[in-house]
Amino acid sequence: MSKTIVITGASAGIGMVLAKQLAARGDALMLAARSADVLRQVARSCGREAYYYATDVTRRQDVNRLRDEALRTFGNVDVWINNAGRGITRNVLELTDEDLDEMMAVNVKSALYGMQAILPHFKERGEGHLINVSSFLGRIPFASFRSAYSASKSALNSLTANLRMDLRAEYPNIHVSLVMPGAVSTGFAVNSLHAPADSGPVPMAQTPEEVVAAMIELIDHPQAEIYTNPDVQLEQVKRYYGGVGEFEENMRR
Ligand SMILES: NC(=O)c1ccc[n+]([C@@H]2O[C@H](COP(=O)([O-])OP(=O)(O)OC[C@H]3O[C@@H](n4cnc5c(N)ncnc54)[C@H](OP(=O)(O)O)[C@@H]3O)[C@@H](O)[C@H]2O)c1
C-alpha cells in the first residue's frame, strides 16, 4: 500500500535517490531541503504525487512549517525521514565553537525538531514511522578528521534510542529507526564543512542506490537499527579497533 512520506535533504545524494525510488513505487512525497530550485526539479522528476517545501532544518520554525505543509497536503504522514546532514573535515584540536555548533545544529537539532514536530501526529493516530539517518561513525568513531560530525551522529543515536524507549510501551505501532551507512558516493565529502578542494572518492563506498535499497526494506519492515553495509563495516571495526569485542572491551578497562 502506498505511503505518505516526508524526506529532508531530498535535493541531493541519498535523499534524492530515495525520493525517486519511493515515487516510482507509488508513495506520496513531501520533499525538503534549502535549495528550492533543485528540489522543484527533483519533485518534478518524481511525478504528480511529489511535493516540495523549501526548508532549513536548522530552524525549528521551518521544520514545523514542513510538518504543517505535509499534513495540509496529505491529511496524514506515515513516515518521516530526518535525512539532511553535513560532515566536517577537522580533527578535535582544530575545532572551533562555530564548527561544533554547526554540526550539532545540522545533524542533531535538525532531527530533534523533526521528531518533536511529527510525534504528536503519530501519537494521535497511534502509528507512524520515524527514521533518523545517522552514520556508522556515530557508533564507531574511526575517522578522526570527521570528529565533530561523528560526535553529532553519536548524539543523534542516543536521542533516537531514548525516543524509542519512551514510546515502546504506550505506542507499539510507532516505530523509531536509526540508519547507519558507512561511506556513500554522494556529494557528502565535498559538501562537508572545511572540505579540502581535492576530496576524492572514498574506498569501499556504497552507492546511494545501495543505501536506499536498505532504507526501502526498512520502511516496509521497520526495525530499530540498520547498518547499510555490515560486512565492510565489520571489517572497519576490525581494522581500527581489532574487532567488535575489542571495541567493547574498552568498557571493562
Ligand atoms: N555520504 C556519506 O558518506 C554518508 C555516510 C553516512 C551517513 N550519511 C548521512 O546521510 C545523510 C545524507 O547525506 P548525503 O550523502 O546524501 O549528503 P549530500 O549529498 O551532501 O546531501 C545532503 C542533503 O542535505 C541537505 N541539507 C544540508 N543542510 C541542510 C539544511 N540546513 N536544511 C535542509 N537541508 C539541508 C542538502 O540540501 P540543501 O543543500 O539544498 O539544503 C542535501 O539535500 C546525511 O545525514 C549524512 O550524514 C552520509
Side-chain angles (χ1 to χ4, degrees), residues 169-182:
E170 204 180 338
Y171 299 96
N173 294 322
I174 299 180
H175 304 285
V176 178
S177 299
L178 186 73
V179 178
M180 286 173 285

Side-chain angles (χ1 to χ4, degrees), residues 98-200:
E98 291 73 25
D99 290 336
L100 194 60
D101 289 347
E102 162 74 4
M103 287 299 99
M104 296 304 281
V106 73
N107 295 318
V108 186
K109 289 172 99 175
S110 60
L112 178 67
Y113 299 155
M115 293 188 268
Q116 292 181 339
I118 201 59
L119 254 297
H121 172 65
F122 285 175
K123 284 182 174 181
E124 203 178 290
R125 294 180 83 200
E127 62 181 15
H129 191 177
L130 186 289
I131 299 177
N132 286 335
V133 179
S134 180
S135 166
F136 188 46
L137 292 177
R139 176 69 36 90
I140 312 282
F142 60 81
S144 57
F145 62 98
R146 295 270 185 248
S147 61
Y149 170 75
S150 307
S152 68
K153 292 295 193 179
S154 295
L156 177 61
N157 289 12
S158 293
L159 293 184
T160 310
N162 286 162
L163 175 66
R164 188 182 308 114
M165 284 177 75
D166 289 345
L167 295 170
R168 187 174 291 148
E170 204 180 338
Y171 299 96
N173 294 322
I174 299 180
H175 304 285
V176 178
S177 299
L178 186 73
V179 178
M180 286 173 285
V184 190
S185 51
T186 65
F188 176 83
V190 289
N191 292 336
S192 289
L193 192 56
H194 312 304
D198 62 349
S199 306

Side-chain angles (χ1 to χ4, degrees), residues 20-246:
K20 290 183 177 178
Q21 296 205 10
L22 290 174
R25 70 183 209 156
D27 292 319
L29 307 176
M30 180 61 71
L31 309 178
R34 290 166 302 180
S35 335
D37 292 346
V38 185
L39 260 186
R40 186 182 310 115
Q41 296 300 329
V42 176
R44 269 199 197 134
S45 72
C46 286
R48 279 180 39 229
E49 285 303 305
Y51 300 82
Y52 70 94
Y53 192 75
T55 307
D56 181 343
V57 294
T58 65
R59 295 154 59 120
R60 186 187 281 277
Q61 216 177 35
D62 277 23
V63 177
N64 285 341
R65 286 192 187 126
L66 170 66
R67 182 264 330 270
D68 293 345
E69 187 68 11
L71 290 178
R72 202 167 21 244
T73 306
F74 303 129
N76 63 57
V77 170
D78 295 313
V79 185
W80 180 287
I81 305 175
N82 288 314
N83 165 73
R86 190 182 189 194
I88 190 170
T89 316
R90 267 204 174 159
N91 296 77
V92 173
L93 295 183
E94 302 167 331
L95 290 172
T96 64
D97 286 3
E98 291 73 25
D99 290 336
L100 194 60
D101 289 347
E102 162 74 4
M103 287 299 99
M104 296 304 281
V106 73
N107 295 318
V108 186
K109 289 172 99 175
S110 60
L112 178 67
Y113 299 155
M115 293 188 268
Q116 292 181 339
I118 201 59
L119 254 297
H121 172 65
F122 285 175
K123 284 182 174 181
E124 203 178 290
R125 294 180 83 200
E127 62 181 15
H129 191 177
L130 186 289
I131 299 177
N132 286 335
V133 179
S134 180
S135 166
F136 188 46
L137 292 177
R139 176 69 36 90
I140 312 282
F142 60 81
S144 57
F145 62 98
R146 295 270 185 248
S147 61
Y149 170 75
S150 307
S152 68
K153 292 295 193 179
S154 295
L156 177 61
N157 289 12
S158 293
L159 293 184
T160 310
N162 286 162
L163 175 66
R164 188 182 308 114
M165 284 177 75
D166 289 345
L167 295 170
R168 187 174 291 148
E170 204 180 338
Y171 299 96
N173 294 322
I174 299 180
H175 304 285
V176 178
S177 299
L178 186 73
V179 178
M180 286 173 285
V184 190
S185 51
T186 65
F188 176 83
V190 289
N191 292 336
S192 289
L193 192 56
H194 312 304
D198 62 349
S199 306
V202 181
M204 297 188 297
Q206 281 186 301
T207 63
E209 285 76 12
E210 288 171 314
V211 174
V212 163
M215 290 178 72
I216 290 180
E217 175 68 17
L218 179 69
I219 290 169
D220 290 341
H221 305 284
Q223 50 177 301
E225 298 187 341
I226 60 163
Y227 297 98
T228 65
N229 202 6
D231 293 342
V232 165
Q233 290 169 309
L234 203 50
E235 278 309 308
Q236 285 169 326
V237 189
K238 282 187 193 148
R239 174 145 33 106
Y240 294 103
Y241 290 99
V244 175
E246 285 76 0

